[in-house]
Amino acid sequence: MRLLRSTDLALRVLMRLAVTDEAPAATPSTPVIPTTREVAAAMEVPYTHAAKVVAELQHLGLLEARRGRGGGLTLTERGRTASVGALVRTFEGDGDVVDCQGATPCPLNSACRLRGALRRAQEAFFESLDPITVADIVREPTGPLLLGITARPE
């Protein structure tokens, strides 16, 4: 199964923020809070794509985005404990793996067994991700590695 770019980006944004929350502050009084633009640059994705994903994650209550001086992105507790399976379901939508009703509908549509099998396989994929949280996927060795490759403001 191949994930949509927005799903991949949403997972990477949450991972980035989870690691940032655990990183030592630049100074004791100023925590490192990345902006959407900084996250987009660090992930080498267009700012507009990152902004759309950030807006959706904010709408879902998984992160907070504050504008202006001293603003930036922070992970909420709900974001830290969010199920990866639920997040993937949300971003992928509940559509079928194959489009049987497209421009040229499949002639097997009324008696097809493949669509049901693919739907069950897709659900098994989501179910395998359900018990995994965002906090789980940034535990060692991933978290320290992410910190090593994450650009930090100087």
Side-chain angles (χ1 to χ4, degrees), residues 16 19 23 141-152:
R16 167 74 161 76
V19 171
T142 305
L145 180 62
L146 277 170
L147 282 174
I149 61 173
T150 299
R152 290 198 192 135

Side-chain angles (χ1 to χ4, degrees), residues 131-150:
I132 302 168
T133 66
V134 170
D136 293 335
I137 60 178
V138 296
R139 285 198 178 108
E140 280 196 41
T142 305
L145 180 62
L146 277 170
L147 282 174
I149 61 173
T150 299

